[in-house]
Amino acid sequence: MKQDMILICDLGGDENSALARAVRALGVYSEVHPHDITPDELAALPNVKGIIFNRSGAVVEPGSALTESGIPALDICGMPSESELEAFVFKKCGCEANWNMDNFISDQIELMRSQIGSGRVILALSGGVDSSVVAALLIRAIGDRLTCVHVNHGLLRKGEPEQVVRVFREELGADLIYVDAVDRFLTKLEGVDDPEKKRKIIGKEFIDVFAEEAHKLDGIEFLAQGTIYPDIVESGTKTGKAVKAHHNVGGLPEDLNFKLVEPLKYLFKDEVRACGKALGLPDSMVYRQPFPGPGLGVRCLGAITRDRLEAVRESDAILREEFAAAGLEGKVWQYFTLVPDYRSVGVKNNARCFEWPVIIRAVNTVDAMTAEIARIDWDVLQKITARILKEVKGVNRVCYDLSPKPTGTIEWE
Ligand code: XMP
């Protein structure tokens, strides 16, 4: 193993992950572990060179496995100065600043190879950054003993299913099962206008399709997942409160009975992106905007129809193209279009028309809990409007949503 590690002991305070990030910012890998880690668990962690006890807000005492380990330790209360951390990490613990993506990747490959042995792994590959990075790592680690399943539910953005197939099957040589489940999803969703029901149907159908594919395969013992560190933190640690359920488990069926492979579970989102870059994934995958699991299904408002779904997909593609052309990619946190299930009167080719509006939403946020409207240049909006009105079938108006969150959520459904 190439990387040294500083272990942050979770005593119930709230700045453990910030502390882990501060240590990583010094170039030294760091993980947060519970106060009652056992001697065997501690011994299984590679290259632990130092332990930090974060006493700020502590509600428990560290267990003897840590206090009696003989590993250099530092007691701190909240975020320390950088120089104090530096002195501990480099002088007292003798760490090297060897935390970088190349070392992370080679360590993860070694760890996954020893976990998986000669076994086989299955992965639900959505095309999102987390599952894509996991796939790319596993391809390096075990090659064709990884089977990726890409379920096209018809609710992905323009070109996304094709990109997943191109990048993973053709460029990276993955064993990829592409499931065209478009009709199946859209049939199940027919006439369903309640947002929560739509989400539930999409989630359940996804699980069913994935489980069916998994059952067709023999000898798969492991399930890989793109769980990342914030998912673990938000799901609640032994001493902390759960913020929300661990969504990356993605509702995948427990009765599939797989052992989990989660190589990204100690990475923060920006580190996952850096890992994806280092693995050679395209920028459009690595820097993909957040995209809801139910996809365009929650942007084709009300009961989904194929024609309105296409209007969402086409207008979204135009919006993304024009934002990129205007240099806004990566500068605006999230932007997309949606199409409501009502029409308005307009004029096209000197005749009355009765067609849908496209609504543009573009927001900036830090954590998606609150959001403000992105101030987009008027000329850019006008160009997008003109293109949508010309190129997207069945649309005669374009509106810009000016609502912050709260009161509006980022998505409309
Ligand atoms: P809201 O609409 O709640 O969205 O303000 C906050 C952020 O979460 C994304 N979002 C989802 N992401 N599954 C996801 O993985 C979902 O069901 C889902 N719903 C909303 C949304 O795009 C925004 O970035």
Side-chain angles (χ1 to χ4, degrees):
M1 299 293 291
K2 293 191 170 154
Q3 295 169 149
D4 293 332
M5 191 205 294
I6 295 291
L7 184 151
I8 313 287
C9 173
D10 176 8
L11 299 173
D14 18 68
E15 286 184 321
N16 296 315
S17 32
L19 205 46
R21 294 214 62 145
V23 175
R24 290 186 196 186
L26 297 176
V28 177
Y29 186 58
S30 170
E31 287 180 6
V32 181
H33 285 275
H35 65 286
D36 57 355
I37 187 170
T38 65
D40 286 348
E41 286 165 341
L42 180 61
L45 294 175
N47 293 351
V48 178
K49 294 277 179 73
I51 301 171
I52 297 180
F53 296 114
N54 178 15
R55 301 280 177 184
S56 164
V59 292
V60 287
E61 282 297 314
S64 55
L66 292 169
T67 53
E68 293 169 12
S69 66
I71 299 171
L74 174 72
D75 273 276
I76 56 167
C77 200
M79 291 302 288
S81 62
E82 195 178 315
S83 58
E84 188 189 6
L85 256 192
E86 249 178 31
F88 174 69
V89 167
F90 296 115
K91 292 213 179 88
K92 187 142 181 221
C93 304
C95 289
E96 276 180 50
N98 52 13
W99 157 242
N100 59 52
M101 273 310 143
D102 288 341
N103 286 345
F104 174 82
I105 289 167
S106 61
D107 282 359
Q108 280 309 316
I109 287 173
E110 195 179 320
L111 284 170
M112 287 192 295
R113 281 182 182 155
S114 80
Q115 183 193 0
I116 297 161
S118 58
R120 293 185 59 195
V121 183
I122 191 168
L123 166 75
L125 178 61
S126 66
V129 55
D130 302 336
S131 64
S132 297
V133 174
V134 171
L137 267 175
L138 273 158
I139 290 166
R140 283 212 191 171
I142 59 164
D144 62 7
R145 283 185 292 119
L146 168 72
T147 300
C148 301
V149 179
H150 179 64
V151 178
N152 180 3
H153 50 26
L155 305 168
L156 294 169
R157 287 176 289 197
K158 190 172 177 176
E160 280 184 335
E162 294 82 358
Q163 184 186 41
V164 169
V165 172
R166 192 183 64 247
V167 170
F168 286 96
R169 189 185 278 164
E170 292 164 23
E171 292 173 20
L172 297 178
D175 174 20
L176 172 72
I177 298 174
Y178 170 82
V179 188
D180 180 347
V182 176
D183 287 340
R184 177 172 172 166
F185 274 80
L186 295 187
T187 305
K188 281 266 160 73
L189 287 162
E190 232 166 62
V192 183
D193 61 1
D194 178 76
E196 288 309 304
K197 281 197 190 134
K198 285 166 68 177
R199 279 172 184 271
K200 283 207 181 95
I201 290 171
I202 296 166
K204 176 179 181 306
E205 210 52 30
F206 180 83
I207 290 167
D208 289 352
V209 173
F210 184 78
E212 283 167 28
E213 293 304 320
H215 285 307
K216 285 185 204 161
L217 301 165
D218 282 333
I220 303 235
E221 201 185 334
F222 297 92
L223 172 74
Q225 292 200 139
T227 312
I228 67 169
Y229 199 49
D231 301 329
I232 297 204
V233 174
E234 287 185 354
S235 300
T237 57
K238 281 186 183 169
T239 52
K241 288 195 208 92
V243 177
K244 64 172 179 185
H246 185 343
H247 76 79
N248 243 321
V249 175
L252 283 176
E254 278 172 27
D255 65 359
L256 283 178
N257 233 344
F258 289 123
K259 291 179 199 150
L260 291 182
V261 178
E262 298 179 299
L264 308 180
K265 71 178 176 187
Y266 288 111
L267 292 194
F268 295 95
K269 194 77 180 188
D270 54 319
E271 295 168 340
V272 175
R273 294 191 206 280
C275 185
K277 279 288 280 183
L279 289 164
L281 292 178
D283 280 5
S284 55
M285 235 169 209
V286 167
Y287 296 107
R288 204 173 94 131
Q289 297 181 47
F291 188 59
L296 301 182
V298 292
R299 296 176 183 170
C300 182
L301 304 186
I304 297 169
T305 55
R306 285 175 194 255
D307 45 9
R308 274 193 311 114
L309 186 58
E310 282 321 302
V312 180
R313 202 180 334 261
E314 288 301 320
S315 56
D316 173 75
I318 292 170
L319 182 80
R320 286 190 289 132
E321 221 174 283
E322 291 302 329
F323 266 46
L328 295 171
E329 217 174 30
K331 293 196 179 136
V332 177
W333 196 80
Q334 195 174 12
Y335 43 94
F336 55 87
T337 61
L338 47 109
V339 176
D341 54 351
Y342 51 79
R343 291 178 288 172
S344 75
V345 175
V347 185
K348 265 189 183 173
N349 304 322
N350 296 320
R352 177 190 192 274
C353 61
F354 189 46
E355 297 182 331
W356 307 299
V358 161
I359 298 167
I360 296 174
R361 185 112 173 99
V363 296
N364 283 314
T365 176
V366 175
D367 55 10
M369 302 300 284
T370 62
E372 57 186 42
I373 300 312
R375 285 167 183 257
I376 306 302
D377 187 84
W378 201 248
D379 290 341
V380 176
L381 287 177
Q382 279 187 319
K383 188 165 177 217
I384 292 166
T385 301
R387 278 197 61 193
I388 289 175
L389 293 178
K390 185 160 176 257
E391 296 172 38
V392 183
K393 226 170 133 203
V395 171
N396 65 355
R397 280 177 202 270
V398 175
C399 307
Y400 190 72
D401 181 355
L402 288 171
S403 329
K405 175 181 180 178
T407 55
T409 50
I410 295 176
E411 305 288 346
W412 272 44
E413 285 193 340

PDB file of all heavy atoms in Angstrom, residues 6 19 92 103-104 120 124 141 198 218 252 306 322 333:
ATOM      1  N   ILE A   6      -3.831   9.022   8.311  1.00  0.00           N
ATOM      2  CA  ILE A   6      -4.130   9.571   9.637  1.00  0.00           C
ATOM      3  C   ILE A   6      -5.578   9.204   9.933  1.00  0.00           C
ATOM      4  O   ILE A   6      -6.476   9.452   9.120  1.00  0.00           O
ATOM      5  CB  ILE A   6      -3.963  11.106   9.669  1.00  0.00           C
ATOM      6  CG1 ILE A   6      -2.503  11.517   9.443  1.00  0.00           C
ATOM      7  CG2 ILE A   6      -4.499  11.692  10.981  1.00  0.00           C
ATOM      8  CD1 ILE A   6      -1.551  11.176  10.572  1.00  0.00           C
ATOM      9  N   LEU A  19     -12.122  17.856   9.283  1.00  0.00           N
ATOM     10  CA  LEU A  19     -10.767  17.551   9.743  1.00  0.00           C
ATOM     11  C   LEU A  19     -10.076  16.583   8.775  1.00  0.00           C
ATOM     12  O   LEU A  19      -8.899  16.758   8.431  1.00  0.00           O
ATOM     13  CB  LEU A  19     -10.885  16.916  11.134  1.00  0.00           C
ATOM     14  CG  LEU A  19      -9.733  17.008  12.101  1.00  0.00           C
ATOM     15  CD1 LEU A  19      -9.161  18.396  12.178  1.00  0.00           C
ATOM     16  CD2 LEU A  19     -10.211  16.556  13.480  1.00  0.00           C
ATOM     17  N   LYS A  92       5.675  14.442  13.929  1.00  0.00           N
ATOM     18  CA  LYS A  92       5.452  13.422  14.962  1.00  0.00           C
ATOM     19  C   LYS A  92       5.158  12.044  14.348  1.00  0.00           C
ATOM     20  O   LYS A  92       5.658  11.029  14.819  1.00  0.00           O
ATOM     21  CB  LYS A  92       4.304  13.867  15.862  1.00  0.00           C
ATOM     22  CG  LYS A  92       4.114  12.972  17.052  1.00  0.00           C
ATOM     23  CD  LYS A  92       3.736  13.719  18.306  1.00  0.00           C
ATOM     24  CE  LYS A  92       3.603  12.725  19.458  1.00  0.00           C
ATOM     25  NZ  LYS A  92       2.485  13.005  20.303  1.00  0.00           N
ATOM     26  N   ASN A 103      -1.835   7.234  -6.459  1.00  0.00           N
ATOM     27  CA  ASN A 103      -1.643   6.301  -5.353  1.00  0.00           C
ATOM     28  C   ASN A 103      -2.964   5.752  -4.849  1.00  0.00           C
ATOM     29  O   ASN A 103      -3.079   4.581  -4.503  1.00  0.00           O
ATOM     30  CB  ASN A 103      -0.891   6.988  -4.207  1.00  0.00           C
ATOM     31  CG  ASN A 103       0.574   7.181  -4.537  1.00  0.00           C
ATOM     32  OD1 ASN A 103       1.080   6.563  -5.474  1.00  0.00           O
ATOM     33  ND2 ASN A 103       1.246   8.038  -3.799  1.00  0.00           N
ATOM     34  N   PHE A 104      -3.980   6.638  -4.791  1.00  0.00           N
ATOM     35  CA  PHE A 104      -5.296   6.167  -4.348  1.00  0.00           C
ATOM     36  C   PHE A 104      -5.780   5.044  -5.270  1.00  0.00           C
ATOM     37  O   PHE A 104      -6.241   3.998  -4.821  1.00  0.00           O
ATOM     38  CB  PHE A 104      -6.313   7.324  -4.348  1.00  0.00           C
ATOM     39  CG  PHE A 104      -7.716   6.866  -4.033  1.00  0.00           C
ATOM     40  CD1 PHE A 104      -8.122   6.661  -2.723  1.00  0.00           C
ATOM     41  CD2 PHE A 104      -8.632   6.607  -5.057  1.00  0.00           C
ATOM     42  CE1 PHE A 104      -9.412   6.202  -2.434  1.00  0.00           C
ATOM     43  CE2 PHE A 104      -9.913   6.153  -4.772  1.00  0.00           C
ATOM     44  CZ  PHE A 104     -10.302   5.953  -3.461  1.00  0.00           C
ATOM     45  N   ARG A 120     -16.711 -12.587  -8.980  1.00  0.00           N
ATOM     46  CA  ARG A 120     -17.264 -11.711 -10.012  1.00  0.00           C
ATOM     47  C   ARG A 120     -18.143 -10.645  -9.362  1.00  0.00           C
ATOM     48  O   ARG A 120     -18.722 -10.847  -8.289  1.00  0.00           O
ATOM     49  CB  ARG A 120     -18.086 -12.517 -11.011  1.00  0.00           C
ATOM     50  CG  ARG A 120     -17.218 -13.465 -11.831  1.00  0.00           C
ATOM     51  CD  ARG A 120     -18.031 -14.157 -12.894  1.00  0.00           C
ATOM     52  NE  ARG A 120     -18.648 -13.198 -13.796  1.00  0.00           N
ATOM     53  CZ  ARG A 120     -19.636 -13.496 -14.635  1.00  0.00           C
ATOM     54  NH1 ARG A 120     -20.120 -14.714 -14.665  1.00  0.00           N
ATOM     55  NH2 ARG A 120     -20.144 -12.576 -15.427  1.00  0.00           N
ATOM     56  N   ALA A 124     -24.625  -1.522 -11.149  1.00  0.00           N
ATOM     57  CA  ALA A 124     -25.638  -0.763 -11.871  1.00  0.00           C
ATOM     58  C   ALA A 124     -24.990   0.534 -12.340  1.00  0.00           C
ATOM     59  O   ALA A 124     -24.668   1.409 -11.532  1.00  0.00           O
ATOM     60  CB  ALA A 124     -26.823  -0.459 -10.955  1.00  0.00           C
ATOM     61  N   ALA A 141      -9.133  -3.157 -12.058  1.00  0.00           N
ATOM     62  CA  ALA A 141      -8.786  -4.145 -11.024  1.00  0.00           C
ATOM     63  C   ALA A 141      -9.066  -5.572 -11.474  1.00  0.00           C
ATOM     64  O   ALA A 141      -8.254  -6.465 -11.264  1.00  0.00           O
ATOM     65  CB  ALA A 141      -9.542  -3.836  -9.728  1.00  0.00           C
ATOM     66  N   LYS A 198     -44.953   8.633  -9.261  1.00  0.00           N
ATOM     67  CA  LYS A 198     -44.021   8.494 -10.389  1.00  0.00           C
ATOM     68  C   LYS A 198     -42.645   8.054  -9.880  1.00  0.00           C
ATOM     69  O   LYS A 198     -42.062   7.106 -10.399  1.00  0.00           O
ATOM     70  CB  LYS A 198     -43.887   9.840 -11.131  1.00  0.00           C
ATOM     71  CG  LYS A 198     -45.080  10.172 -11.998  1.00  0.00           C
ATOM     72  CD  LYS A 198     -45.094  11.630 -12.446  1.00  0.00           C
ATOM     73  CE  LYS A 198     -44.006  11.995 -13.417  1.00  0.00           C
ATOM     74  NZ  LYS A 198     -44.110  13.396 -13.861  1.00  0.00           N
ATOM     75  N   ASP A 218     -24.679 -16.121 -13.542  1.00  0.00           N
ATOM     76  CA  ASP A 218     -24.239 -17.106 -12.551  1.00  0.00           C
ATOM     77  C   ASP A 218     -22.978 -16.627 -11.853  1.00  0.00           C
ATOM     78  O   ASP A 218     -22.166 -15.922 -12.434  1.00  0.00           O
ATOM     79  CB  ASP A 218     -23.904 -18.432 -13.254  1.00  0.00           C
ATOM     80  CG  ASP A 218     -25.175 -19.178 -13.595  1.00  0.00           C
ATOM     81  OD1 ASP A 218     -26.176 -18.959 -12.885  1.00  0.00           O
ATOM     82  OD2 ASP A 218     -25.148 -19.937 -14.582  1.00  0.00           O
ATOM     83  N   LEU A 252     -31.302  -0.687  -3.990  1.00  0.00           N
ATOM     84  CA  LEU A 252     -31.053  -1.987  -4.627  1.00  0.00           C
ATOM     85  C   LEU A 252     -31.473  -3.113  -3.684  1.00  0.00           C
ATOM     86  O   LEU A 252     -31.343  -3.004  -2.476  1.00  0.00           O
ATOM     87  CB  LEU A 252     -29.587  -2.112  -5.036  1.00  0.00           C
ATOM     88  CG  LEU A 252     -29.253  -1.327  -6.300  1.00  0.00           C
ATOM     89  CD1 LEU A 252     -27.780  -1.408  -6.604  1.00  0.00           C
ATOM     90  CD2 LEU A 252     -30.052  -1.836  -7.496  1.00  0.00           C
ATOM     91  N   ARG A 306     -44.860  10.583 -24.322  1.00  0.00           N
ATOM     92  CA  ARG A 306     -43.606  10.478 -25.082  1.00  0.00           C
ATOM     93  C   ARG A 306     -43.264  11.795 -25.781  1.00  0.00           C
ATOM     94  O   ARG A 306     -42.104  12.180 -25.849  1.00  0.00           O
ATOM     95  CB  ARG A 306     -43.707   9.358 -26.113  1.00  0.00           C
ATOM     96  CG  ARG A 306     -43.611   7.998 -25.467  1.00  0.00           C
ATOM     97  CD  ARG A 306     -43.820   6.898 -26.473  1.00  0.00           C
ATOM     98  NE  ARG A 306     -44.043   5.652 -25.788  1.00  0.00           N
ATOM     99  CZ  ARG A 306     -43.127   4.674 -25.689  1.00  0.00           C
ATOM    100  NH1 ARG A 306     -41.962   4.803 -26.265  1.00  0.00           N
ATOM    101  NH2 ARG A 306     -43.408   3.578 -25.027  1.00  0.00           N
ATOM    102  N   GLU A 322     -25.996  25.601 -25.227  1.00  0.00           N
ATOM    103  CA  GLU A 322     -25.835  27.063 -25.224  1.00  0.00           C
ATOM    104  C   GLU A 322     -25.140  27.564 -23.959  1.00  0.00           C
ATOM    105  O   GLU A 322     -24.402  28.541 -24.004  1.00  0.00           O
ATOM    106  CB  GLU A 322     -27.192  27.753 -25.413  1.00  0.00           C
ATOM    107  CG  GLU A 322     -27.780  27.553 -26.805  1.00  0.00           C
ATOM    108  CD  GLU A 322     -26.854  28.060 -27.938  1.00  0.00           C
ATOM    109  OE1 GLU A 322     -26.093  29.029 -27.713  1.00  0.00           O
ATOM    110  OE2 GLU A 322     -26.878  27.458 -29.026  1.00  0.00           O
ATOM    111  N   TRP A 333     -24.514  26.056 -11.030  1.00  0.00           N
ATOM    112  CA  TRP A 333     -24.508  24.761 -10.335  1.00  0.00           C
ATOM    113  C   TRP A 333     -25.399  23.725 -11.008  1.00  0.00           C
ATOM    114  O   TRP A 333     -25.030  22.593 -11.189  1.00  0.00           O
ATOM    115  CB  TRP A 333     -24.957  24.998  -8.891  1.00  0.00           C
ATOM    116  CG  TRP A 333     -24.635  23.868  -7.979  1.00  0.00           C
ATOM    117  CD1 TRP A 333     -23.427  23.609  -7.398  1.00  0.00           C
ATOM    118  CD2 TRP A 333     -25.514  22.831  -7.539  1.00  0.00           C
ATOM    119  NE1 TRP A 333     -23.520  22.481  -6.620  1.00  0.00           N
ATOM    120  CE2 TRP A 333     -24.773  21.998  -6.683  1.00  0.00           C
ATOM    121  CE3 TRP A 333     -26.859  22.545  -7.770  1.00  0.00           C
ATOM    122  CZ2 TRP A 333     -25.334  20.881  -6.061  1.00  0.00           C
ATOM    123  CZ3 TRP A 333     -27.423  21.427  -7.165  1.00  0.00           C
ATOM    124  CH2 TRP A 333     -26.662  20.617  -6.319  1.00  0.00           C
TER     125      TRP A 333
END
